[in-house]
Amino acid sequence: MILVFGSINMDLVARVRAIARPGETVLSRRADSFFGGKGANQAVAAARIGQGGPIPVAMAGALGDDPFGRACLDNLRANGVDVEAIRIVGEPTGCAFITVDDSGENAITVASGANMAVEAADVPDSLLARASVLVMQMEVPAAECLAMARRARRHGVRVIWNFAPAPAMSERAEMAELLAATDILVVNEHEAVAVGAIVEGMVRDDYLDVAATLARSHEVTCVVTAGARGATAISPDGARVHAAARPITPIDSTGAGDTFVGVLANGLAEGLGTGNAMRRACIAASLSCLTAGAQAGMPMRGALEEHLAQD
């Protein structure tokens, strides 16, 4: 089983000609609502690819007792995600405000709400004992993520940590603790540079060089995603594996990174090697950009297998 520990949001999305600069107001014809949150997105991506396969998906998180929360819970269930470890708390359901420009790029502001009430202690040992992979992000309290990762390690569960959004932590010791509890670190090129600056004091733009240093120094496999340039995994011994992205004309890139993480987790849980798991994840992430909304374009298993067969 894949256990996702993280955030659940409702996304409010407005399409604009250009994303507003500081102090600027831009107009959009309408706002649409979509299910989101990096944790929920990754859980849905893994569950959709898992349908027809052997690996179930469970989500641990928190929601408000409000219409958004009830809708988010129903959506996770509809996608086949086990929701027994989701708590209803006294804070409002998390909400993300997203603008998407004509090129498909996005800017996102998140009101965390109930996501800040997520606690590792609320995940029962019985659920963790069934997991083979734990997936986490940076939209719930870092201390709870660390506690969850340490519990997972004691149960022999592989930990995938997606350091997104880029952490604001400035203490090297705190970041080093997080990395010490991680088996696979997933970052984009900007996040890799940010983590390298905090942990190693590296001020450089070569994100693959930074990722190699992080992998070697902290004995993690560092997977760096780079949009249309695909993804590269670097192991502690310096070995590199690259997977290409599928050439597309994007409509909305929101959720592409989360699709990658969820499908990567599924591939690894099913026993695929890193290269093959990344190949599936890159193609799935590319396909997710063809539909508006973080989850709407996430492919089902059959659709992904059709595209894999074309290579």
Side-chain angles (χ1 to χ4, degrees):
M1 185 183 73
I2 298 166
L3 174 60
V4 181
F5 181 83
S7 58
I8 310 169
N9 293 329
M10 183 66 76
D11 292 349
L12 302 178
V13 182
R15 297 199 67 89
V16 295
R17 182 184 57 80
I19 293 170
R21 297 167 297 184
E24 182 183 20
T25 298
V26 298
L27 298 180
S28 175
R29 288 192 60 186
R30 55 183 283 174
D32 295 302
S33 59
F34 299 94
F35 298 106
K38 297 193 72 63
N41 290 345
Q42 292 170 9
V44 168
R48 288 187 181 176
I49 294 304
Q51 290 182 4
I55 308 298
V57 178
M59 175 88 208
L63 290 167
D65 185 12
D66 51 42
F68 279 171
R70 290 187 284 275
C72 287
L73 202 60
D74 288 343
N75 173 65
L76 289 167
R77 289 192 182 108
N79 278 284
V81 177
D82 183 326
V83 298
E84 69 172 277
I86 295 177
R87 284 195 309 141
I88 304 301
V89 300
E91 296 293 328
T93 297
C95 194
F97 306 91
I98 304 170
T99 52
V100 182
D101 71 15
D102 288 343
S103 70
E105 289 299 320
N106 62 73
I108 305 173
T109 299
V110 178
S112 297
N115 293 314
M116 289 297 103
V118 173
E119 296 182 5
D122 290 328
V123 179
D125 282 335
S126 58
L127 184 63
L128 193 56
R130 288 153 44 200
S132 60
V133 174
L134 171 69
V135 179
M136 300 183 298
Q137 324 77 35
M138 299 297 290
E139 288 186 335
V140 299
E144 298 302 324
C145 286
L146 179 57
M148 191 73 247
R150 286 172 170 169
R151 284 182 61 197
R153 280 288 192 84
R154 290 195 294 271
H155 281 81
V157 178
R158 181 186 288 187
V159 177
I160 299 176
W161 208 316
N162 178 209
F163 273 73
M169 293 172 290
S170 59
E171 293 295 329
R172 180 185 186 279
E174 186 177 18
M175 183 68 77
E177 282 188 279
L178 300 178
L179 290 175
T182 300
D183 296 294
I184 299 173
L185 171 69
V186 182
V187 287
N188 65 24
E189 63 267 48
H190 309 296
E191 293 154 359
V193 170
V195 175
I198 295 170
V199 180
E200 302 293 339
M202 293 182 288
V203 182
R204 61 185 75 166
D205 294 329
D206 188 335
Y207 59 88
L208 291 179
D209 183 42
V210 171
T213 300
L214 291 170
R216 181 178 65 252
S217 300
H218 300 276
E219 296 186 349
V220 300
T221 295
C222 190
V223 176
V224 187
T225 61
R229 290 166 288 177
T232 301
I234 305 178
S235 60
D237 64 5
R240 299 189 182 193
V241 176
H242 179 75
R246 179 64 57 87
I248 59 163
T249 300
I251 293 173
D252 182 0
S253 62
T254 306
D258 295 332
T259 303
F260 178 91
V261 173
V263 177
L264 176 70
N266 171 269
L268 295 175
E270 289 191 4
L272 296 181
T274 302
N276 284 334
M278 286 173 51
R279 174 172 169 260
R280 291 205 318 174
C282 280
I283 293 176
S286 298
L287 295 176
S288 76
C289 296
L290 300 177
T291 305
Q295 295 179 17
M298 291 177 174
M300 304 294 284
R301 188 180 188 95
L304 178 60
E305 289 177 346
E306 286 181 13
H307 282 269
L308 286 168
Q310 296 172 11
D311 287 354

